[in-house]
Amino acid sequence: MMLIVHLVSWGWLILMVIAGLTRHSIKAANRYLILSRLGYLLIIISGVYLSTKTFSGAWLLTTLKAVLGISTIGLIEVAFARKQESRLTPQLLGLMIGGLILTTICGFSLHYLLMGRWF
């Protein structure tokens, strides 16, 4: 159940980030920033629960996923801050997308390592 909450929360976060960073109005972007923070809350709560279940089986991969996930959330916050200052760069967007991809790969690899299946 918590895995579903975790995956849906990441999906929600991705949608809110895309919607927020593509807005021309800073006021509209701020609305999506607030909604994305709801996603952070659910991701952190479900992520802590899931990491307690996976830490004994693959502690290194679990730690790596946690660090990547928190770093990706940090990059998203920086991207929204730069959006508010009108200084959002393609390099920052690339770094944020790369962090998201690495976090996703690490998460699915962790699941596959412990469960023996992708889903």
Side-chain angles (χ1 to χ4, degrees), residues 1-3 45-59 62 110-111 113-115:
M1 178 65 184
M2 281 304 244
L3 181 60
I45 291 170
S46 62
V48 167
Y49 176 81
L50 290 171
S51 67
T52 61
K53 301 296 182 190
T54 62
F55 194 78
S56 62
W59 64 271
T62 301
L110 181 64
H111 183 73
L113 177 70
L114 295 174
M115 299 298 292

